[in-house]
Amino acid sequence: MHGGTLAVYGGALALLALAVGAVAVRGVAEPGVALAFTVLIALGECVRITLPGDREQAPIGAAGALAYALLGPLRGLPTAHGVLQVVAVTGVGLLLALLSASLLPRSARGHRSAPWRDRARRDGAARRLLGAGFAAAVFQPLYNSGLVDRISPDGPAYGVFLTLVAALAALCDATLAAVLRRDRSGRRFPAALEDELRSLFGIGSAITATGLLVSLAAGEVGLWALPLFCAPLLLAQVSFRRAGAIRATTGQTIASLARATEVAGYTPPGHARRVADTACAVGRELGLGTRELALLEYAALMHDIGQLSLVEPVPDGATELLPDEEQQRIARLGSEVIRRTGVPRQVAEQVARLADPCTGRPDEDERAVPLAARIIRVANAHDDLLTAARGRGVGEAVGRLEVLELLRLGRGRVYDARVVDALVRVRG
């Protein structure tokens, strides 16, 4: 594990141990309320969705933990559960969900048994525990000391106060998520944080709003607020699942198109996948967000579709060795095919421009040629030249050094200098 991940996991485990020990010594305040929120969090963690960028999220579990952290009066009566009980209840709910998932047979878990999903589940549990603890640490001491009583629960000021606390908790969760994502994917922290902050405007805002509504409504209707106000969030999950199914269909279409050139004998087996992997690695190094990386991967997988228009295949599919005019013609023809597949239009635009030459002026290149196109051109050249080196019998290590040197020679003239430098860092 990297240092950031160790710090998050270590902090979550230490906080949970402290909270469970304190509750065991002091006893549970309002046991019925604690049990209701424990069950809600555990059930919510079992009903998860997958967001773009392979993010796993448990909206109902996260909203339940936030609601308990911000819970003040219950049906007009004061509560006294405090910070450590919030952490203990959240932790027990998370542990029950993790335990139930691990007890399921592999056949029942299906695709959810993938290692990255198990890791995402653990990451999410650590984040939610620390996030709930943070929200409770801000709100509960003020509530239990009576300072919050000066704000009328019936007035707008109380709602504004809770909203500010929830917003701070959301920022805390986004920061923790960025730390974990940086360690998992190797992305730079600013880019990972920007990506997580963008996600707050999607399902994150729904989670925060639901947690606020539950905590506020519980003051009037009691525990009935839990199922009543979590139902809309459950419907939102259904919508996200449908959107995920559409993305999966798009991915299957793109994968089929990417294999068309290989099946027809125009490109070597695995070429499109290798170019896509290299392009995404360079994109992460340059700080692209999740959506930009997804579009980059789509375009990289389909960058050679235009070769199907050729009468005779290019030897080894190495378009990089063709004249610039021929490369541009193939790129434009491929773009026309892609436009008719229903994938995002940016993908076709990136493929259409990937053979356009660089001017040597970074500002002018950024305006004229999309960054994704410049990345794919370098990634494609890297694989084409490496394949050619293998064909000449050059050793793998020597071939890689030779290819990187050739790319450096074209730096700022044929290839984007910033992209070549990023490739050297990730593949050098």
Side-chain angles (χ1 to χ4, degrees):
M1 285 188 185
H2 296 273
T5 302
L6 282 173
V8 172
Y9 276 36
L13 289 173
L15 183 59
L16 179 59
L18 174 64
V20 171
V23 171
V25 171
R26 299 175 186 173
V28 180
E30 297 102 20
V33 179
L35 178 61
F37 276 96
T38 301
V39 172
L40 176 65
I41 293 169
L43 291 177
E45 287 292 321
C46 293
V47 184
R48 307 171 67 83
I49 57 175
T50 301
L51 301 175
D54 290 337
R55 286 191 187 85
E56 282 238 333
Q57 182 64 274
I60 294 178
L66 178 62
Y68 193 49
L70 302 181
L71 183 63
L74 184 68
R75 298 198 70 175
L77 299 176
T79 57
H81 47 276
V83 176
L84 292 179
Q85 185 166 311
V86 169
V87 174
V89 165
T90 302
V92 171
L94 293 168
L95 290 174
L96 287 174
L98 291 173
L99 181 61
S100 66
S102 64
L103 291 177
L104 284 175
R106 185 173 293 272
S107 59
R109 283 183 280 168
H111 69 279
R112 291 186 181 276
S113 61
W116 75 262
R117 290 185 182 275
D118 295 336
R119 186 170 62 240
R121 190 179 291 268
R122 293 192 298 270
D123 287 354
R127 283 169 42 203
R128 274 183 280 288
L129 186 71
L130 292 173
F134 176 82
V138 175
F139 175 78
Q140 290 296 327
L142 297 175
Y143 173 76
N144 291 326
S145 66
L147 291 177
V148 177
D149 292 339
R150 300 177 184 178
I151 305 174
S152 173
D154 299 327
Y158 185 71
V160 171
F161 172 66
L162 286 183
T163 301
L164 290 174
V165 176
L168 290 174
L171 290 174
C172 173
D173 180 73
T175 302
L176 294 173
V179 170
L180 294 170
R181 182 164 287 272
R182 178 200 61 187
D183 288 352
R184 299 300 187 203
S185 65
R187 296 185 62 194
R188 294 181 178 179
F189 178 75
L193 180 59
E194 181 182 358
D195 217 21
E196 296 299 332
L197 291 175
R198 286 179 182 175
S199 71
L200 290 179
F201 296 98
I203 194 68
S205 59
I207 292 171
T208 303
T210 301
L212 285 171
L213 284 173
V214 170
S215 64
L216 287 169
E220 297 295 331
V221 301
L223 295 179
W224 284 107
L226 275 63
L228 183 63
F229 288 96
C230 285
L233 190 56
L234 184 60
L235 295 176
Q237 285 191 227
V238 174
S239 298
F240 273 93
R241 285 184 184 277
R242 289 180 178 175
I246 294 172
R247 287 194 301 273
T249 302
T250 301
Q252 292 169 1
T253 301
I254 290 170
S256 299
L257 285 170
R259 281 192 50 79
T261 55
E262 297 178 12
V263 173
Y266 282 85
T267 57
H271 169 74
R273 184 71 263 173
R274 290 193 299 272
V275 171
D277 290 343
T278 300
C280 288
V282 172
R284 283 191 291 270
E285 177 67 19
L286 293 174
L288 295 186
T290 298
R291 175 170 171 75
E292 288 82 4
L293 285 172
L295 295 174
L296 174 64
E297 183 179 18
Y298 291 166
L301 285 171
M302 295 191 292
H303 75 280
D304 271 330
I305 291 295
Q307 287 204 48
L308 295 175
S309 65
L310 301 177
V311 177
E312 293 292 336
V314 179
D316 294 323
T319 54
E320 182 59 28
L321 305 180
L322 296 174
D324 289 343
E325 295 79 8
E326 185 65 7
Q327 291 186 46
Q328 292 168 8
R329 187 182 74 84
I330 293 172
R332 287 194 297 270
L333 290 171
S335 174
E336 290 302 319
V337 174
I338 293 170
R339 290 181 194 279
R340 291 166 172 76
T341 62
V343 301
R345 61 176 178 79
Q346 295 95 321
V347 175
E349 293 171 0
Q350 292 167 7
V351 172
R353 306 297 302 281
L354 64 86
D356 289 1
C358 290
T359 65
R361 300 185 179 94
D363 293 340
E364 187 173 330
D365 287 336
E366 288 177 8
R367 290 193 301 270
V369 184
L371 176 59
R374 287 177 272 145
I375 291 174
I376 295 170
R377 179 164 194 181
V378 171
N380 178 63
H382 178 266
D383 194 71
D384 283 350
L385 294 172
L386 194 56
T387 300
R390 292 191 188 106
R392 299 195 311 271
V394 178
E396 189 69 20
V398 175
R400 289 185 180 278
L401 291 175
E402 177 184 300
V403 168
L404 291 177
E405 185 59 31
L406 288 172
L407 292 175
R408 285 195 187 96
L409 291 175
R411 179 182 180 276
R413 181 172 52 84
V414 180
Y415 310 114
D416 184 276
R418 192 159 59 102
V419 175
V420 173
D421 293 341
L423 176 69
V424 172
R425 291 195 295 270
V426 300
R427 290 289 188 263

